[in-house]
Amino acid sequence: MKQLFILTLTIGIAVLGASAQLALPRESTRQEITQSVGDAKISIAYNRPNSKGRVLWGCTSTDVVPKGGVTYDCLVPNGQVWRTGANEATVFETTADLMVNGEKLPKGKYALFSIPDKDEWTVIFNKTWDQWGSFNYDSKQDALRVKVKPSSGEMFETMSITVDDVTSTAANVAVRWEKVVVPFRIDVGDISGRFVNDVRRRMSIEAAQLATFVIGQKATSRYSEVLSLLDQAIAANETFGNLSAKARLLAEMGRVPEAISTGERAVTVGKAATPAANTAGFERTLAAWKSKK
């Protein structure tokens, strides 16, 4: 019985070890912040080291990428890529394209690295976001680099990243540690233009879908109303989808010559689109109309 108990206990410990890892608290605590800026959601995840009286800044290293096991004269040397935090690389994510200090950053997930210097810092958005520190940093994976001017601020014992001065289209991001502040500005650009384009796109798709539905239902009493909606969608955004839907509806209404001319325009627009529309099926329908003309 005793041997059975020990065997059971051993198996139980092995199963626990295989199914879960012990999550011990870290000295550099993790923080995740999110902020809406216009139609974008900005997320930053990083680990927050404390200064603990250490020399953080001021020395210079010839090692652009830090070497494991090497102790430098300060914690964050000038000229060396810093993970902008502790432990894993800091992760910066945006759900929409941004301008960072006037430079375009496509929507996506990035490691946020930085290179300090006496008068100017380089802030880096690197495509390899899932990595430990900056020991494997590869500049070929940089999506964007911007130059920023550091400034002096109030004392921050614990490193902090803040998103401040948020407006409907922009915000200021700042890395703060000890008395050093490293700021950069993010801007989501012309939100109203994107909304207008999105509404146009939806109008086009929905009008074409509605036309297909009423044709399928033979809802002849709604044909003129849907034709008017298609005309509005085409005026806002001419596409193969809404033009071919209008052509089919005109044919259903017995207005075949108009259906043919609208269909020919649909094929032209579809083939010129990027990527080109698949017009083959509709062209066969168009040829059938022409044969009965």
Side-chain angles (χ1 to χ4, degrees):
M1 181 65 72
K2 182 177 180 181
Q3 290 177 335
L4 179 61
F5 172 76
I6 292 172
L7 178 61
T8 303
L9 181 61
T10 301
I11 293 172
I13 291 172
V15 169
L16 283 172
S19 62
Q21 292 183 342
L22 185 61
L24 296 172
R26 289 175 169 181
E27 186 172 349
S28 297
T29 57
R30 185 169 179 80
Q31 183 174 64
E32 298 181 12
I33 60 174
T34 59
Q35 176 65 56
S36 294
V37 181
D39 56 349
K41 183 175 82 170
I42 309 301
S43 303
I44 304 173
Y46 68 110
N47 296 287
R48 308 178 67 191
N50 293 304
S51 61
K52 299 186 294 186
R54 295 176 290 182
V55 178
L56 303 185
W57 326 103
C59 69
T60 300
S61 173
T62 57
D63 297 331
V64 176
V65 177
K67 296 178 179 178
V70 176
T71 300
Y72 298 95
D73 293 335
C74 61
L75 196 63
V76 187
N78 289 342
Q80 187 174 97
V81 179
W82 180 38
R83 70 188 84 187
T84 321
N87 302 322
E88 298 89 356
T90 293
V91 177
F92 181 99
E93 185 173 9
T94 173
T95 60
D97 294 349
L98 297 177
M99 300 297 286
V100 180
N101 282 11
E103 301 288 336
K104 185 177 179 179
L105 179 70
K107 67 179 180 179
K109 201 170 186 178
Y110 303 95
L112 179 64
F113 293 123
S114 50
I115 302 176
D117 215 330
K118 181 179 178 182
D119 300 315
E120 188 176 62
W121 283 46
T122 303
V123 174
I124 303 168
F125 298 85
N126 186 275
K127 297 174 186 177
T128 309
W129 62 268
D130 187 11
Q131 58 181 297
W132 180 267
S134 55
F135 301 104
N136 296 308
Y137 165 75
D138 181 1
S139 62
K140 294 178 182 177
Q141 295 301 311
D142 290 349
L144 178 65
R145 282 183 165 217
V146 294
K147 299 292 186 180
V148 302
K149 294 289 185 181
S151 61
S152 297
E154 61 180 295
M155 176 67 184
F156 272 70
E157 167 65 23
T158 303
M159 187 200 129
S160 180
I161 299 179
T162 59
V163 184
D164 302 310
D165 306 322
V166 182
T167 70
S168 60
T169 60
N172 292 323
V173 180
V175 178
R176 305 172 188 269
W177 197 16
E178 203 182 51
K179 294 184 178 181
V180 172
V181 182
V182 182
F184 58 90
R185 186 165 180 80
I186 58 177
D187 194 315
V188 297
D190 183 13
I191 299 175
S192 59
R194 289 200 294 274
F195 281 143
V196 168
N197 289 335
D198 187 53
V199 169
R200 285 175 176 169
R201 181 184 61 81
R202 292 183 184 182
M203 281 178 59
S204 177
I205 293 171
E206 290 170 1
Q209 289 173 338
L210 182 58
T212 300
F213 175 77
V214 297
I215 290 171
Q217 295 293 314
K218 300 296 182 182
T220 55
S221 63
R222 297 295 182 186
Y223 283 1
S224 294
E225 184 179 359
V226 174
L227 184 62
S228 176
L229 292 173
L230 281 168
D231 284 336
Q232 293 177 46
I234 290 167
N237 184 31
E238 190 180 51
T239 68
F240 170 72
N242 55 32
L243 284 164
S244 60
K246 178 181 178 180
R248 292 180 190 277
L249 187 57
L250 286 168
E252 280 289 317
M253 297 170 73
R255 297 161 60 177
V256 177
E258 292 175 76
I260 292 171
S261 62
T262 303
E264 289 173 340
R265 177 61 184 165
V267 171
T268 299
V269 169
K271 289 183 175 180
T274 305
N278 182 359
T279 64
F282 178 74
E283 286 186 79
R284 289 192 291 271
T285 299
L286 184 58
W289 294 339
K290 290 178 178 179
S291 67
K292 296 177 183 178
K293 185 178 175 182

